[in-house]
Amino acid sequence: MSEIQVASRYAKSIIDLSVEQNALELVKKDIELFLGTCRANPALQAILKNPIISLEKKANILDGLFGDKLHKMILSFFHIVIRKGRSEILYATAKEFINQYNIIKNVVKATVTSASPLSKENLAQIEEVVKNATKGEVILSAQVDPDLIGGFILKVGDKQFDTSLSSKLNKLKKEFELN
């Protein structure tokens, strides 16, 4: 079974248990803390994936980092996964938990990439359009790519809307090459 499938099943179990215990929001914050710590410290991810490091040492490291910061259920889950020798999937499980949480709560992630920084008004307009189209809460991130020349690229889930000048110029160039 692939790592994503296992992570998805574990994440679903965590969500089900946290809903049952009325602790979904608390658990989400804890999972975000774990993910943030892993992203800031690639060494932690390396330790969790390293088969040479003992299971006890991995559990002690997580206890030392998160012992008094995480919900008991999450710490117990970490210990169970480590004891089963599957610590390498903790990070993927945490990411999958956030994905499943976003689906449950109808949270949509969108990214807008533009040639120059967009104003707050432009970002608010884009966020409103995405919100109306998806009927969900929108988390919008903005990026700048001067190679776009003008316009923007909006990615919402697996959809992409490209209004950039560079892509229009590339299409025009391909048309001329065909003729």
Side-chain angles (χ1 to χ4, degrees), residues 1 11 53 65 75 77 81 94 97 108 117-118 123 132 136 140 142-143 156 162 172-173:
M1 192 176 306
I53 297 174
L65 288 171
L75 279 175
F77 169 76
V81 172
F97 174 91
V108 179
L118 296 173
L123 290 172
N132 290 336
L140 182 66
Q143 299 174 345
V156 181
D162 190 344
L172 189 59
K173 180 181 174 185

Side-chain angles (χ1 to χ4, degrees), residues 14-15 18 23-35 70-71 73-74 94 97-98 101-102 105 107 137 139:
I14 296 169
I15 284 179
S18 59
L24 184 60
E25 297 304 320
L26 267 171
V27 169
K28 178 192 174 255
K29 287 179 184 173
D30 290 349
I31 294 291
E32 287 174 334
L33 173 67
F34 174 73
L35 282 172
L70 298 183
H71 193 277
M73 181 185 68
I74 296 300
F97 174 91
I98 297 298
Y101 173 90
N102 287 343
K105 295 292 187 174
V107 176
E137 181 186 335
I139 299 173

Side-chain angles (χ1 to χ4, degrees), residues 6-22:
V6 174
S8 180
R9 288 182 181 178
Y10 280 160
K12 173 122 177 60
S13 298
I14 296 169
I15 284 179
D16 291 346
L17 188 57
S18 59
V19 166
E20 186 180 296
Q21 294 182 3
N22 292 325

Side-chain angles (χ1 to χ4, degrees), residues 128-148:
E128 190 63 31
V129 167
V130 174
K131 188 175 193 174
N132 290 336
T134 61
K135 307 284 188 257
E137 181 186 335
V138 178
I139 299 173
L140 182 66
S141 62
Q143 299 174 345
V144 175
D145 181 1
D147 292 339
L148 294 180

Side-chain angles (χ1 to χ4, degrees), residues 31-46 48 62 65-66 78 87 90-92 94-95:
I31 294 291
E32 287 174 334
L33 173 67
F34 174 73
L35 282 172
T37 304
C38 285
R39 286 183 185 122
N41 301 296
L44 177 58
Q45 287 185 57
L48 293 174
L62 289 180
L65 288 171
F66 303 110
F78 285 170
S87 61
L90 286 176
Y91 183 74
K95 285 182 12 182

